[in-house]
Amino acid sequence: MAASALAASAAASQSMRNREILDAVGTTAAALSLAGSSFIVLCYLLFRELRKFSFKLVYFLAVADMLCSLFTIMGGPANAFYCFAHDYSAHFFCVASFLWTTTIAFTLHRTVVKHKTDVEEFGFIFHLYVWGTSLVTTVLRSIGSDYGRPGTWCWIQQGSMGKILHLITFYLPLWGAILYNGFTYYQVNRMLNNATRMAVGMSDRSSQSDVRADKKAFNRWGYYPLILIGSWAFATINRLYDFANPGHKIFWLSILDIGFAGLMGLFNSIAYGLNSSVRRAIAERIDMYLPERIKRSLPTLSRLRSQQENELTSLIVESNNRFNNASNT
């Protein structure tokens, strides 16, 4: 009996240490994402020149990431009502985050592939789609949940039905967004490749340089679906493993799950938000206040000021006219 008691005590102690490590990893990752997404939100609010439709979508993505990270950092409250409100909000904003990436992909696809210039008319529809879908999935996930049990995601059911609901209401729309973004960026990439070949065939050097600029910009945007995959691949594997082997946890997989999922906001803020427009706006503000002798020692500032806008904004504004002109030639 004494040996059994000692073994049980050791197992409980090890489980507590593992829980503390996982909480530390999750909090650190979420704090980094909170800092990155808050920086993008602050840039949008401070720099008026960034308030274009394309960057407005990035702003709402950053807002969702910021609130998702904030509620994740808040931890697992013991109070039943507070627990429900906390994790309800975390689920809502985490779903909203990856849904906003699909609106960015849709905007790019409609402009470059469909040659439409009416993307700003979809603003209200985007909000209805993102916030409405997030609300529906969160309400469905919370039905029948035991939100009196303390701990991270403390309102989630632990039975098979609860795990199935979690897969349906979170991971199903997540991987739907990943597939949609991947297909969309593939089509945009194919369109730009065709335009490049067309410009080469016409021996139009100006068209070639324009298309190459857009292609160079897209080479960065084209990797963005990998952000969602990298952030949630380990979490998906962990959920499926837990569903197939209930009660058996793989500690290192849980660390990768919590760590990479928590960093999604940071990845999004770097990839979507820290583009040439933001860097140039920051450089211009620094240029206004730094003494001239210091500015001369920072060649990066002049390089950023003269850098061309080769990112999503330029694709949205200019690509429709460019491809129409190429097709009419």
Side-chain angles (χ1 to χ4, degrees), residues 16-37:
M16 181 64 67
R17 283 196 296 270
N18 290 347
R19 181 71 264 175
E20 291 174 352
I21 293 174
L22 291 175
D23 287 342
V25 170
T27 300
T28 302
L32 291 173
S33 290
L34 178 62
S37 54

Side-chain angles (χ1 to χ4, degrees), residues 59-105:
Y59 164 74
F60 286 116
L61 168 64
V63 168
D65 281 330
M66 182 178 68
L67 294 174
C68 174
S69 301
L70 177 63
F71 284 109
T72 300
I73 292 173
M74 290 172 63
N79 178 270
F81 173 77
Y82 187 73
C83 168
F84 181 78
H86 156 261
D87 279 331
Y88 196 105
S89 301
H91 186 279
F92 177 86
F93 288 110
C94 287
V95 172
S97 173
F98 60 73
L99 291 181
W100 276 115
T101 67
T102 64
T103 67
I104 296 173

Side-chain angles (χ1 to χ4, degrees), residues 271-290:
Y272 288 95
L274 201 58
N275 54 36
S276 61
S277 297
V278 175
R279 296 194 301 269
R280 184 164 52 251
I282 295 173
E284 289 174 353
R285 297 314 187 280
I286 295 176
D287 189 45
M288 291 173 60
Y289 299 104
L290 280 180

